[in-house]
Amino acid sequence: MPPPSAPLVLTYFDDNKGRNELVRLIFVVGEVPFVDELIGFSEYVRRRDAKQLPFDQIPTLRVGDTVLGQSCAIARYAAKLAKLYPEDALSACKADAVVDAWRDQLDLLYDTFFERTVIAEKLQMFPRQQVERAQRVGNYFESSFKPWMRQMEKLLDGRRIAASLSFAELAIFDLVSTLEGFVEPEAFKQVMDLHPEVRGLVQEIGALPSVQQHLVQHPYQSLRELMSTPSNCKRHLESLLFPCLKAAMASWLGLKRCCSGDR
């Protein structure tokens, strides 16, 4: 698929990596030029309420006058532009399955940090209290990530990326690299040592010059301090503060809807 003549603009939140990172990796490895647009929460709300976002979500990819939504669909389109999408139908289906599993795992991982709640008649993502985050990330690591690692280990089965790099392998790299910032180093090392195929793939992709250059500008962040068990003092403070923050957010969003005439 030839690249479009119009600029490609990938839009996501400006606070960290997320569901946009796989697409960024695809473009970087495939040497596809794109504009990396990072926006704050208030701008996201403005675009959402102005009906500028398909499915009311980001990431989006703007191709000329067309705005694409849904991270897996965008990743498939990007992979075709970057020649990182398998041409064989069966291989393509297998790659799609890995990327769909990547999205499933990210949803479960982000659910450890954020709760989905309706505020001012809109579905919002609101941070969980740290004591709940710590419990949930531990459960996710044991019940979801480790089984996923076993599945990926079996899937790779001696295959190396040099001959058949696709967006599926980049999805594995992204999830493993993301999770590393959520758990303690020793626990992460133990699970990686048990899965040498996945470990080798992550090392190979991380050694690609284009990926190394990208990660200098956009490194994976460590969130361990936010996911660890809090002190009793912090736990008590958050139990008082978080309900107030949620109420303030509801008031702010409700006022914006009122002022904009949205009913």
Side-chain angles (χ1 to χ4, degrees):
M1 178 185 294
S5 56
L8 298 167
V9 182
L10 179 65
T11 301
Y12 198 65
F13 293 113
D14 61 3
D15 55 354
N16 204 343
K17 293 175 183 285
R19 295 182 179 91
N20 64 325
E21 183 61 12
L22 176 56
V23 179
R24 290 205 293 196
L25 288 169
I26 292 168
F27 284 153
V28 166
V29 172
E31 299 182 346
V32 177
F34 74 104
V35 177
D36 192 21
E37 182 186 38
L38 302 175
I39 63 175
F41 181 74
S42 60
E43 175 62 14
Y44 157 72
V45 171
R46 186 195 70 78
R47 295 187 189 188
R48 182 198 65 188
D49 293 348
K51 311 301 182 185
Q52 296 176 358
L53 304 177
F55 312 102
D56 291 341
Q57 298 172 337
I58 51 178
T60 59
L61 181 68
R62 189 167 73 247
V63 186
D65 295 330
T66 301
V67 180
L68 305 175
Q70 294 295 327
S71 54
C72 288
I74 295 171
R76 280 189 284 271
Y77 174 72
K80 292 173 183 178
L81 294 180
K83 298 182 180 179
L84 293 173
Y85 191 81
E87 295 183 2
D88 172 69
L90 183 60
S91 298
C93 184
K94 292 178 178 179
D96 284 342
V98 171
V99 172
D100 288 346
W102 161 84
R103 171 60 189 266
D104 290 343
Q105 289 295 317
L106 280 186
D107 285 347
L108 292 169
L109 179 58
Y110 293 153
D111 187 62
T112 68
F113 201 101
F114 296 101
E115 63 172 307
R116 296 173 185 263
T117 184
V118 176
I119 300 177
E121 300 182 18
K122 292 283 188 179
L123 183 64
Q124 308 287 349
M125 303 288 282
F126 192 81
R128 298 184 186 278
Q129 295 181 38
Q130 187 165 337
V131 63
E132 186 178 5
R133 294 199 298 266
Q135 293 169 348
R136 284 177 172 268
V137 77
N139 291 338
Y140 165 78
F141 187 65
E142 294 296 331
S143 64
S144 296
F145 183 72
K146 286 184 176 180
W148 176 84
M149 284 286 286
R150 290 193 290 270
Q151 293 167 351
M152 296 303 106
E153 184 76 3
K154 182 178 180 180
L155 183 69
L156 291 172
D157 191 25
R159 182 161 55 91
R160 283 291 179 260
I161 69 169
S164 60
L165 176 62
S166 77
F167 77 143
E169 287 77 27
L170 295 178
I172 296 172
F173 173 83
D174 178 53
L175 182 62
V176 172
S177 301
T178 299
L179 195 279
E180 184 177 7
F182 277 71
V183 299
E184 292 301 318
E186 184 57 32
F188 180 79
K189 182 179 183 302
Q190 287 177 359
V191 75
M192 292 299 287
D193 287 345
L194 291 172
H195 302 91
E197 298 292 343
V198 175
R199 182 183 59 198
L201 180 141
V202 170
Q203 291 172 345
E204 284 192 63
I205 293 178
L208 295 174
S210 58
V211 173
Q212 289 183 336
Q213 184 177 359
H214 170 69
L215 294 181
V216 169
Q217 295 179 306
H218 303 285
Y220 286 92
Q221 303 293 325
S222 174
L223 301 178
R224 294 188 195 103
E225 290 187 5
L226 300 177
M227 307 304 290
S228 61
T229 301
S231 65
N232 289 334
C233 179
K234 186 173 184 180
R235 183 182 308 184
H236 180 65
L237 180 62
E238 287 189 351
S239 70
L240 298 175
L241 181 62
F242 273 54
C244 297
L245 291 175
K246 188 179 290 188
M249 183 176 180
S251 298
W252 175 65
L253 292 173
L255 180 62
K256 285 179 65 69
R257 290 187 67 212
C258 181
C259 292
S260 66
D262 186 12
R263 295 291 187 267

